[in-house]
Tab-separated table of all heavy atoms in Angstrom:
chain	number	residue	atom	x	y	z
A	1	MET	N	-1.769	-5.097	16.903
A	1	MET	CA	-1.753	-5.286	15.468
A	1	MET	C	-2.969	-6.125	15.086
A	1	MET	O	-3.333	-7.057	15.780
A	1	MET	CB	-0.466	-5.989	15.036
A	1	MET	CG	-0.335	-6.081	13.549
A	1	MET	SD	1.164	-6.870	12.915
A	1	MET	CE	2.442	-6.026	13.774
A	2	THR	N	-3.569	-5.787	13.973
A	2	THR	CA	-4.726	-6.515	13.478
A	2	THR	C	-4.320	-7.330	12.269
A	2	THR	O	-3.661	-6.835	11.362
A	2	THR	CB	-5.851	-5.536	13.082
A	2	THR	OG1	-6.197	-4.761	14.217
A	2	THR	CG2	-7.057	-6.268	12.577
A	3	ASP	N	-4.722	-8.589	12.253
A	3	ASP	CA	-4.445	-9.479	11.134
A	3	ASP	C	-5.692	-9.538	10.266
A	3	ASP	O	-6.739	-10.005	10.706
A	3	ASP	CB	-4.080	-10.867	11.659
A	3	ASP	CG	-3.666	-11.815	10.563
A	3	ASP	OD1	-3.405	-11.364	9.433
A	3	ASP	OD2	-3.609	-13.029	10.831
A	4	VAL	N	-5.599	-9.036	9.046
A	4	VAL	CA	-6.730	-9.033	8.127
A	4	VAL	C	-6.495	-10.106	7.081
A	4	VAL	O	-5.593	-10.008	6.270
A	4	VAL	CB	-6.887	-7.646	7.448
A	4	VAL	CG1	-8.043	-7.662	6.473
A	4	VAL	CG2	-7.062	-6.569	8.488
A	5	ASN	N	-7.306	-11.141	7.115
A	5	ASN	CA	-7.150	-12.250	6.182
A	5	ASN	C	-8.362	-12.447	5.292
A	5	ASN	O	-8.443	-13.426	4.581
A	5	ASN	CB	-6.889	-13.554	6.946
A	5	ASN	CG	-5.543	-13.556	7.608
A	5	ASN	OD1	-4.563	-13.151	7.007
A	5	ASN	ND2	-5.482	-13.985	8.840
A	6	ALA	N	-9.312	-11.537	5.302
A	6	ALA	CA	-10.568	-11.760	4.610
A	6	ALA	C	-10.693	-10.988	3.301
A	6	ALA	O	-11.783	-10.823	2.797
A	6	ALA	CB	-11.722	-11.405	5.538
A	7	ILE	N	-9.601	-10.531	2.750
A	7	ILE	CA	-9.673	-9.770	1.505
A	7	ILE	C	-9.445	-10.719	0.331
A	7	ILE	O	-8.468	-11.450	0.300
A	7	ILE	CB	-8.628	-8.639	1.491
A	7	ILE	CG1	-8.915	-7.662	2.619
A	7	ILE	CG2	-8.614	-7.932	0.149
A	7	ILE	CD1	-7.848	-6.626	2.820
A	8	THR	N	-10.356	-10.667	-0.632
A	8	THR	CA	-10.232	-11.494	-1.825
A	8	THR	C	-10.141	-10.589	-3.043
A	8	THR	O	-11.043	-9.786	-3.293
A	8	THR	CB	-11.449	-12.433	-1.975
A	8	THR	OG1	-11.556	-13.238	-0.807
A	8	THR	CG2	-11.294	-13.324	-3.191
A	9	LEU	N	-9.032	-10.695	-3.771
A	9	LEU	CA	-8.799	-9.894	-4.971
A	9	LEU	C	-8.315	-10.809	-6.080
A	9	LEU	O	-7.643	-11.811	-5.820
A	9	LEU	CB	-7.732	-8.828	-4.710
A	9	LEU	CG	-7.992	-7.836	-3.577
A	9	LEU	CD1	-6.739	-7.034	-3.291
A	9	LEU	CD2	-9.136	-6.918	-3.933
A	10	ASP	N	-8.626	-10.441	-7.324
A	10	ASP	CA	-8.071	-11.228	-8.425
A	10	ASP	C	-6.649	-10.732	-8.720
A	10	ASP	O	-6.186	-9.742	-8.147
A	10	ASP	CB	-8.975	-11.191	-9.658
A	10	ASP	CG	-9.124	-9.817	-10.297
A	10	ASP	OD1	-8.175	-9.002	-10.231
A	10	ASP	OD2	-10.190	-9.558	-10.884
A	11	ASP	N	-5.949	-11.426	-9.600
A	11	ASP	CA	-4.551	-11.097	-9.894
A	11	ASP	C	-4.390	-9.681	-10.442
A	11	ASP	O	-3.434	-8.981	-10.108
A	11	ASP	CB	-3.943	-12.098	-10.871
A	11	ASP	CG	-3.645	-13.432	-10.226
A	11	ASP	OD1	-3.846	-13.579	-9.002
A	11	ASP	OD2	-3.214	-14.345	-10.954
A	12	HIS	N	-5.323	-9.238	-11.284
A	12	HIS	CA	-5.235	-7.882	-11.842
A	12	HIS	C	-5.344	-6.836	-10.734
A	12	HIS	O	-4.607	-5.853	-10.725
A	12	HIS	CB	-6.328	-7.652	-12.888
A	12	HIS	CG	-6.197	-8.514	-14.094
A	12	HIS	ND1	-5.210	-8.339	-15.031
A	12	HIS	CD2	-6.928	-9.568	-14.515
A	12	HIS	CE1	-5.323	-9.251	-15.972
A	12	HIS	NE2	-6.367	-10.007	-15.693
A	13	GLN	N	-6.245	-7.067	-9.803
A	13	GLN	CA	-6.407	-6.138	-8.688
A	13	GLN	C	-5.166	-6.127	-7.798
A	13	GLN	O	-4.737	-5.067	-7.341
A	13	GLN	CB	-7.640	-6.500	-7.870
A	13	GLN	CG	-8.943	-6.276	-8.609
A	13	GLN	CD	-10.121	-6.891	-7.898
A	13	GLN	OE1	-10.033	-7.992	-7.354
A	13	GLN	NE2	-11.233	-6.172	-7.888
A	14	CYS	N	-4.598	-7.281	-7.557
A	14	CYS	CA	-3.385	-7.365	-6.735
A	14	CYS	C	-2.225	-6.629	-7.381
A	14	CYS	O	-1.502	-5.891	-6.710
A	14	CYS	CB	-3.006	-8.824	-6.468
A	14	CYS	SG	-4.097	-9.651	-5.314
A	15	ARG	N	-2.060	-6.806	-8.687
A	15	ARG	CA	-0.985	-6.096	-9.387
A	15	ARG	C	-1.206	-4.588	-9.327
A	15	ARG	O	-0.272	-3.822	-9.081
A	15	ARG	CB	-0.876	-6.574	-10.834
A	15	ARG	CG	-0.112	-7.869	-10.984
A	15	ARG	CD	0.225	-8.172	-12.436
A	15	ARG	NE	-0.949	-8.573	-13.206
A	15	ARG	CZ	-1.477	-9.788	-13.203
A	15	ARG	NH1	-0.925	-10.737	-12.471
A	15	ARG	NH2	-2.532	-10.065	-13.932
A	16	ALA	N	-2.442	-4.157	-9.539
A	16	ALA	CA	-2.743	-2.723	-9.502
A	16	ALA	C	-2.532	-2.152	-8.103
A	16	ALA	O	-1.967	-1.062	-7.941
A	16	ALA	CB	-4.185	-2.485	-9.959
A	17	LEU	N	-2.949	-2.882	-7.089
A	17	LEU	CA	-2.773	-2.423	-5.718
A	17	LEU	C	-1.291	-2.368	-5.346
A	17	LEU	O	-0.844	-1.431	-4.687
A	17	LEU	CB	-3.536	-3.340	-4.765
A	17	LEU	CG	-3.652	-2.899	-3.325
A	17	LEU	CD1	-4.253	-1.502	-3.215
A	17	LEU	CD2	-4.489	-3.905	-2.545
A	18	ALA	N	-0.527	-3.339	-5.815
A	18	ALA	CA	0.916	-3.334	-5.558
A	18	ALA	C	1.567	-2.113	-6.207
A	18	ALA	O	2.450	-1.485	-5.614
A	18	ALA	CB	1.547	-4.631	-6.072
A	19	GLN	N	1.125	-1.756	-7.413
A	19	GLN	CA	1.657	-0.557	-8.079
A	19	GLN	C	1.294	0.702	-7.291
A	19	GLN	O	2.118	1.599	-7.127
A	19	GLN	CB	1.108	-0.434	-9.505
A	19	GLN	CG	1.797	-1.321	-10.498
A	19	GLN	CD	3.234	-0.908	-10.770
A	19	GLN	OE1	3.711	0.152	-10.388
A	19	GLN	NE2	3.961	-1.780	-11.442
A	20	LEU	N	0.058	0.774	-6.818
A	20	LEU	CA	-0.364	1.926	-6.025
A	20	LEU	C	0.500	2.066	-4.776
A	20	LEU	O	0.965	3.160	-4.449
A	20	LEU	CB	-1.834	1.806	-5.636
A	20	LEU	CG	-2.363	2.898	-4.716
A	20	LEU	CD1	-2.362	4.253	-5.417
A	20	LEU	CD2	-3.737	2.543	-4.213
A	21	CYS	N	0.727	0.956	-4.095
A	21	CYS	CA	1.557	0.986	-2.882
A	21	CYS	C	2.977	1.428	-3.208
A	21	CYS	O	3.575	2.203	-2.468
A	21	CYS	CB	1.573	-0.388	-2.218
A	21	CYS	SG	0.002	-0.862	-1.477
A	22	LYS	N	3.497	0.932	-4.325
A	22	LYS	CA	4.863	1.284	-4.722
A	22	LYS	C	4.980	2.784	-5.014
A	22	LYS	O	5.968	3.413	-4.656
A	22	LYS	CB	5.247	0.485	-5.965
A	22	LYS	CG	6.584	0.849	-6.564
A	22	LYS	CD	6.818	0.102	-7.849
A	22	LYS	CE	8.047	0.617	-8.554
A	22	LYS	NZ	8.217	-0.010	-9.865
A	23	ARG	N	3.972	3.341	-5.649
A	23	ARG	CA	4.032	4.734	-6.099
A	23	ARG	C	3.555	5.731	-5.049
A	23	ARG	O	3.673	6.945	-5.256
A	23	ARG	CB	3.211	4.889	-7.366
A	23	ARG	CG	3.820	4.117	-8.524
A	23	ARG	CD	2.967	4.200	-9.745
A	23	ARG	NE	3.588	3.444	-10.835
A	23	ARG	CZ	2.926	2.950	-11.851
A	23	ARG	NH1	1.625	3.135	-11.945
A	23	ARG	NH2	3.550	2.265	-12.780
A	24	SER	N	3.001	5.245	-3.969
A	24	SER	CA	2.484	6.146	-2.936
A	24	SER	C	3.598	6.516	-1.962
A	24	SER	O	4.331	5.668	-1.491
A	24	SER	CB	1.339	5.485	-2.185
A	24	SER	OG	0.255	5.263	-3.051
A	25	ASN	N	3.697	7.797	-1.691
A	25	ASN	CA	4.677	8.280	-0.731
A	25	ASN	C	4.027	9.385	0.101
A	25	ASN	O	2.851	9.691	-0.079
A	25	ASN	CB	5.944	8.774	-1.451
A	25	ASN	CG	5.649	9.874	-2.447
A	25	ASN	OD1	4.826	10.750	-2.206
A	25	ASN	ND2	6.325	9.835	-3.585
A	26	ILE	N	4.765	9.962	0.985
A	26	ILE	CA	4.203	10.943	1.909
A	26	ILE	C	3.551	12.111	1.167
A	26	ILE	O	2.474	12.581	1.559
A	26	ILE	CB	5.269	11.431	2.932
A	26	ILE	CG1	4.616	12.242	4.053
A	26	ILE	CG2	6.375	12.189	2.257
A	26	ILE	CD1	3.721	11.481	4.956
A	27	ASP	N	4.150	12.552	0.077
A	27	ASP	CA	3.583	13.679	-0.668
A	27	ASP	C	2.251	13.332	-1.325
A	27	ASP	O	1.399	14.186	-1.495
A	27	ASP	CB	4.563	14.173	-1.727
A	27	ASP	CG	5.796	14.800	-1.106
A	27	ASP	OD1	5.667	15.389	-0.010
A	27	ASP	OD2	6.887	14.693	-1.693
A	28	ARG	N	2.082	12.078	-1.676
A	28	ARG	CA	0.832	11.658	-2.322
A	28	ARG	C	-0.304	11.443	-1.327
A	28	ARG	O	-1.467	11.564	-1.698
A	28	ARG	CB	1.055	10.396	-3.129
A	28	ARG	CG	2.002	10.623	-4.281
A	28	ARG	CD	1.747	9.638	-5.367
A	28	ARG	NE	2.736	9.758	-6.397
A	28	ARG	CZ	2.462	10.239	-7.600
A	28	ARG	NH1	1.262	10.627	-7.904
A	28	ARG	NH2	3.414	10.311	-8.494
A	29	VAL	N	0.015	11.092	-0.093
A	29	VAL	CA	-1.057	10.822	0.873
A	29	VAL	C	-1.411	12.030	1.735
A	29	VAL	O	-2.502	12.064	2.310
A	29	VAL	CB	-0.751	9.602	1.776
A	29	VAL	CG1	-0.540	8.360	0.945
A	29	VAL	CG2	0.420	9.848	2.687
A	30	ARG	N	-0.549	13.006	1.811
A	30	ARG	CA	-0.846	14.201	2.631
A	30	ARG	C	-2.201	14.836	2.309
A	30	ARG	O	-2.927	15.217	3.230
A	30	ARG	CB	0.256	15.237	2.475
A	30	ARG	CG	1.385	15.056	3.428
A	30	ARG	CD	2.333	16.260	3.397
A	30	ARG	NE	3.490	15.962	4.205
A	30	ARG	CZ	4.732	15.860	3.731
A	30	ARG	NH1	4.963	16.052	2.453
A	30	ARG	NH2	5.722	15.580	4.534
A	31	PRO	N	-2.575	14.979	1.034
A	31	PRO	CA	-3.871	15.605	0.754
A	31	PRO	C	-5.072	14.827	1.314
A	31	PRO	O	-6.152	15.383	1.453
A	31	PRO	CB	-3.931	15.640	-0.784
A	31	PRO	CG	-2.517	15.567	-1.230
A	31	PRO	CD	-1.819	14.720	-0.200
A	32	PHE	N	-4.880	13.566	1.637
A	32	PHE	CA	-5.975	12.734	2.133
A	32	PHE	C	-5.962	12.567	3.644
A	32	PHE	O	-6.776	11.835	4.197
A	32	PHE	CB	-5.906	11.340	1.486
A	32	PHE	CG	-5.931	11.400	-0.013
A	32	PHE	CD1	-4.774	11.189	-0.740
A	32	PHE	CD2	-7.097	11.700	-0.692
A	32	PHE	CE1	-4.787	11.254	-2.127
A	32	PHE	CE2	-7.120	11.771	-2.081
A	32	PHE	CZ	-5.960	11.550	-2.798
A	33	SER	N	-5.034	13.220	4.309
A	33	SER	CA	-4.889	13.040	5.751
A	33	SER	C	-5.242	14.313	6.514
A	33	SER	O	-5.188	15.413	5.979
A	33	SER	CB	-3.458	12.617	6.090
A	33	SER	OG	-2.561	13.651	5.771
A	34	ALA	N	-5.581	14.126	7.765
A	34	ALA	CA	-5.949	15.251	8.624
A	34	ALA	C	-4.742	15.840	9.345
A	34	ALA	O	-4.822	16.939	9.883
A	34	ALA	CB	-6.990	14.805	9.642
A	35	SER	N	-3.629	15.100	9.362
A	35	SER	CA	-2.435	15.575	10.055
A	35	SER	C	-1.206	14.883	9.477
A	35	SER	O	-1.309	13.901	8.738
A	35	SER	CB	-2.529	15.266	11.554
A	35	SER	OG	-2.450	13.858	11.760
A	36	GLU	N	-0.055	15.402	9.856
A	36	GLU	CA	1.207	14.796	9.416
A	36	GLU	C	1.354	13.381	9.981
A	36	GLU	O	1.797	12.469	9.281
A	36	GLU	CB	2.380	15.683	9.842
A	36	GLU	CG	3.705	15.275	9.272
A	36	GLU	CD	3.871	15.572	7.781
A	36	GLU	OE1	3.017	16.246	7.178
A	36	GLU	OE2	4.876	15.121	7.212
A	37	ASP	N	0.962	13.197	11.242
A	37	ASP	CA	1.026	11.857	11.850
A	37	ASP	C	0.145	10.873	11.102
A	37	ASP	O	0.547	9.729	10.857
A	37	ASP	CB	0.606	11.897	13.323
A	37	ASP	CG	1.671	12.489	14.221
A	37	ASP	OD1	2.853	12.556	13.811
A	37	ASP	OD2	1.319	12.880	15.352
A	38	GLU	N	-1.058	11.310	10.750
A	38	GLU	CA	-1.951	10.415	10.009
A	38	GLU	C	-1.365	10.084	8.639
A	38	GLU	O	-1.446	8.937	8.186
A	38	GLU	CB	-3.329	11.053	9.848
A	38	GLU	CG	-4.328	10.111	9.188
A	38	GLU	CD	-5.699	10.720	9.050
A	38	GLU	OE1	-5.821	11.800	8.418
A	38	GLU	OE2	-6.643	10.126	9.579
A	39	ALA	N	-0.743	11.058	7.991
A	39	ALA	CA	-0.119	10.811	6.688
A	39	ALA	C	0.973	9.756	6.806
A	39	ALA	O	1.053	8.834	5.983
A	39	ALA	CB	0.441	12.108	6.121
A	40	TRP	N	1.797	9.863	7.836
A	40	TRP	CA	2.861	8.861	8.017
A	40	TRP	C	2.279	7.496	8.366
A	40	TRP	O	2.804	6.464	7.935
A	40	TRP	CB	3.871	9.328	9.063
A	40	TRP	CG	4.828	10.319	8.490
A	40	TRP	CD1	4.891	11.651	8.746
A	40	TRP	CD2	5.848	10.052	7.516
A	40	TRP	NE1	5.884	12.244	7.995
A	40	TRP	CE2	6.495	11.274	7.228
A	40	TRP	CE3	6.278	8.912	6.851
A	40	TRP	CZ2	7.532	11.383	6.317
A	40	TRP	CZ3	7.328	9.019	5.945
A	40	TRP	CH2	7.941	10.240	5.685
A	41	ASN	N	1.186	7.457	9.108
A	41	ASN	CA	0.530	6.175	9.393
A	41	ASN	C	-0.009	5.550	8.109
A	41	ASN	O	0.052	4.324	7.934
A	41	ASN	CB	-0.602	6.353	10.411
A	41	ASN	CG	-0.083	6.505	11.815
A	41	ASN	OD1	0.972	5.982	12.161
A	41	ASN	ND2	-0.815	7.231	12.639
A	42	MET	N	-0.524	6.381	7.217
A	42	MET	CA	-0.998	5.875	5.926
A	42	MET	C	0.157	5.276	5.122
A	42	MET	O	0.028	4.194	4.536
A	42	MET	CB	-1.656	6.999	5.124
A	42	MET	CG	-2.983	7.449	5.648
A	42	MET	SD	-3.565	8.854	4.641
A	42	MET	CE	-5.127	9.181	5.402
A	43	VAL	N	1.276	5.990	5.097
A	43	VAL	CA	2.451	5.487	4.371
A	43	VAL	C	2.910	4.157	4.973
A	43	VAL	O	3.215	3.210	4.241
A	43	VAL	CB	3.597	6.529	4.386
A	43	VAL	CG1	4.893	5.932	3.866
A	43	VAL	CG2	3.204	7.743	3.574
A	44	ASP	N	2.942	4.074	6.294
A	44	ASP	CA	3.343	2.828	6.951
A	44	ASP	C	2.382	1.693	6.610
A	44	ASP	O	2.805	0.556	6.363
A	44	ASP	CB	3.399	3.009	8.468
A	44	ASP	CG	4.558	3.882	8.916
A	44	ASP	OD1	5.495	4.094	8.108
A	44	ASP	OD2	4.516	4.357	10.064
A	45	ALA	N	1.083	1.987	6.582
A	45	ALA	CA	0.086	0.966	6.247
A	45	ALA	C	0.247	0.497	4.804
A	45	ALA	O	0.175	-0.700	4.515
A	45	ALA	CB	-1.316	1.507	6.478
A	46	LEU	N	0.490	1.442	3.912
A	46	LEU	CA	0.704	1.064	2.511
A	46	LEU	C	1.964	0.222	2.349
A	46	LEU	O	2.000	-0.716	1.547
A	46	LEU	CB	0.779	2.318	1.634
A	46	LEU	CG	-0.557	3.013	1.385
A	46	LEU	CD1	-0.324	4.406	0.808
A	46	LEU	CD2	-1.419	2.179	0.460
A	47	GLN	N	2.997	0.535	3.108
A	47	GLN	CA	4.221	-0.262	3.054
A	47	GLN	C	3.959	-1.682	3.563
A	47	GLN	O	4.477	-2.648	3.013
A	47	GLN	CB	5.340	0.407	3.861
A	47	GLN	CG	6.667	-0.283	3.726
A	47	GLN	CD	7.151	-0.373	2.284
A	47	GLN	OE1	6.955	0.526	1.479
A	47	GLN	NE2	7.774	-1.473	1.944
A	48	GLY	N	3.159	-1.802	4.619
A	48	GLY	CA	2.795	-3.125	5.119
A	48	GLY	C	2.005	-3.914	4.099
A	48	GLY	O	2.230	-5.112	3.897
A	49	LEU	N	1.076	-3.247	3.433
A	49	LEU	CA	0.291	-3.893	2.385
A	49	LEU	C	1.188	-4.307	1.226
A	49	LEU	O	1.075	-5.419	0.699
A	49	LEU	CB	-0.802	-2.937	1.907
A	49	LEU	CG	-1.742	-3.434	0.831
A	49	LEU	CD1	-2.426	-4.734	1.234
A	49	LEU	CD2	-2.771	-2.358	0.513
A	50	ARG	N	2.112	-3.434	0.845
A	50	ARG	CA	3.055	-3.757	-0.230
A	50	ARG	C	3.890	-4.979	0.123
A	50	ARG	O	4.117	-5.859	-0.713
A	50	ARG	CB	3.959	-2.558	-0.500
A	50	ARG	CG	4.919	-2.788	-1.627
A	50	ARG	CD	5.764	-1.578	-1.894
A	50	ARG	NE	6.677	-1.846	-2.990
A	50	ARG	CZ	7.681	-1.085	-3.318
A	50	ARG	NH1	7.892	0.043	-2.663
A	50	ARG	NH2	8.479	-1.407	-4.309
A	51	SER	N	4.308	-5.057	1.365
A	51	SER	CA	5.095	-6.196	1.826
A	51	SER	C	4.294	-7.504	1.726
A	51	SER	O	4.797	-8.524	1.263
A	51	SER	CB	5.548	-5.952	3.265
A	51	SER	OG	6.270	-7.036	3.759
A	52	GLN	N	3.037	-7.444	2.152
A	52	GLN	CA	2.187	-8.641	2.077
A	52	GLN	C	1.922	-9.038	0.627
A	52	GLN	O	1.928	-10.229	0.291
A	52	GLN	CB	0.864	-8.388	2.806
A	52	GLN	CG	1.003	-8.290	4.301
A	52	GLN	CD	1.480	-9.587	4.920
A	52	GLN	OE1	1.061	-10.673	4.535
A	52	GLN	NE2	2.376	-9.481	5.874
A	53	LEU	N	1.690	-8.068	-0.226
A	53	LEU	CA	1.488	-8.371	-1.645
A	53	LEU	C	2.755	-8.981	-2.254
A	53	LEU	O	2.686	-9.909	-3.059
A	53	LEU	CB	1.080	-7.108	-2.407
A	53	LEU	CG	-0.353	-6.643	-2.173
A	53	LEU	CD1	-0.530	-5.200	-2.629
A	53	LEU	CD2	-1.340	-7.563	-2.885
A	54	SER	N	3.901	-8.475	-1.855
A	54	SER	CA	5.167	-9.019	-2.337
A	54	SER	C	5.324	-10.480	-1.928
A	54	SER	O	5.723	-11.326	-2.745
A	54	SER	CB	6.330	-8.194	-1.788
A	54	SER	OG	7.560	-8.733	-2.209
A	55	ARG	N	4.986	-10.785	-0.693
A	55	ARG	CA	5.061	-12.183	-0.222
A	55	ARG	C	4.122	-13.099	-1.003
A	55	ARG	O	4.378	-14.281	-1.130
A	55	ARG	CB	4.744	-12.259	1.266
A	55	ARG	CG	5.848	-11.741	2.116
A	55	ARG	CD	5.601	-12.015	3.587
A	55	ARG	NE	6.393	-11.058	4.349
A	55	ARG	CZ	5.915	-10.198	5.204
A	55	ARG	NH1	4.633	-10.185	5.510
A	55	ARG	NH2	6.694	-9.350	5.830
A	56	ALA	N	3.039	-12.514	-1.515
A	56	ALA	CA	2.086	-13.294	-2.305
A	56	ALA	C	2.473	-13.344	-3.790
A	56	ALA	O	1.763	-13.935	-4.595
A	56	ALA	CB	0.688	-12.692	-2.161
A	57	GLY	N	3.616	-12.726	-4.141
A	57	GLY	CA	4.103	-12.802	-5.508
A	57	GLY	C	3.801	-11.584	-6.358
A	57	GLY	O	4.019	-11.597	-7.567
A	58	PHE	N	3.287	-10.512	-5.753
A	58	PHE	CA	2.971	-9.281	-6.486
A	58	PHE	C	3.943	-8.199	-6.037
A	58	PHE	O	3.704	-7.484	-5.081
A	58	PHE	CB	1.520	-8.867	-6.225
A	58	PHE	CG	0.533	-9.911	-6.656
A	58	PHE	CD1	0.028	-10.817	-5.751
A	58	PHE	CD2	0.154	-10.002	-7.982
A	58	PHE	CE1	-0.863	-11.792	-6.138
A	58	PHE	CE2	-0.739	-10.983	-8.388
A	58	PHE	CZ	-1.250	-11.881	-7.460
A	59	ASN	N	5.074	-8.129	-6.743
A	59	ASN	CA	6.145	-7.217	-6.362
A	59	ASN	C	6.626	-6.464	-7.592
A	59	ASN	O	7.570	-6.878	-8.258
A	59	ASN	CB	7.300	-8.005	-5.729
A	59	ASN	CG	8.341	-7.109	-5.137
A	59	ASN	OD1	8.104	-5.938	-4.903
A	59	ASN	ND2	9.518	-7.650	-4.883
A	60	PRO	N	5.955	-5.348	-7.935
A	60	PRO	CA	6.350	-4.608	-9.135
A	60	PRO	C	7.752	-4.025	-9.006
A	60	PRO	O	8.170	-3.643	-7.936
A	60	PRO	CB	5.303	-3.508	-9.243
A	60	PRO	CG	4.773	-3.349	-7.868
A	60	PRO	CD	4.910	-4.676	-7.194
A	61	ARG	N	8.449	-3.982	-10.091
A	61	ARG	CA	9.819	-3.432	-10.116
A	61	ARG	C	9.799	-2.022	-10.605
A	61	ARG	O	9.015	-1.527	-11.268
A	61	ARG	CB	10.713	-4.281	-11.013
A	61	ARG	CG	10.756	-5.729	-10.599
A	61	ARG	CD	11.698	-5.904	-9.459
A	61	ARG	NE	11.635	-7.307	-9.005
A	61	ARG	CZ	11.790	-7.673	-7.806
A	61	ARG	NH1	12.012	-6.808	-6.854
A	61	ARG	NH2	11.758	-8.930	-7.462
């Protein structure tokens, strides 16, 4: 696992990114992936990002 701590975003960007993560699902990422496995890895990565944003106080309902 890689720990990425060097990303700096303002509050507007964090809220927008949290919304993107919330609204992204397998059907939305498939067009950007080379395989079904890659699509699921993208979904998992977005879920991890959403979780981290939530811990930082950006958790859209």
Side-chain angles (χ1 to χ4, degrees):
M1 186 179 309
T2 301
D3 185 14
V4 179
N5 291 316
I7 298 172
T8 302
L9 302 169
D10 65 31
D11 286 357
H12 295 289
Q13 292 169 320
C14 288
R15 279 192 288 280
L17 189 55
Q19 281 292 349
L20 175 66
C21 290
K22 174 185 171 185
R23 294 176 180 156
S24 296
N25 58 39
I26 191 67
D27 293 328
R28 295 205 186 250
V29 301
R30 272 190 187 116
F32 304 105
S33 65
S35 68
E36 189 73 8
D37 285 342
E38 185 179 57
W40 281 109
N41 283 331
M42 289 176 179
V43 170
D44 289 344
L46 286 166
Q47 186 58 36
L49 181 55
R50 182 178 180 192
S51 178
Q52 290 296 319
L53 286 163
S54 178
R55 286 189 202 121
F58 300 96
N59 188 17
R61 303 280 175 213

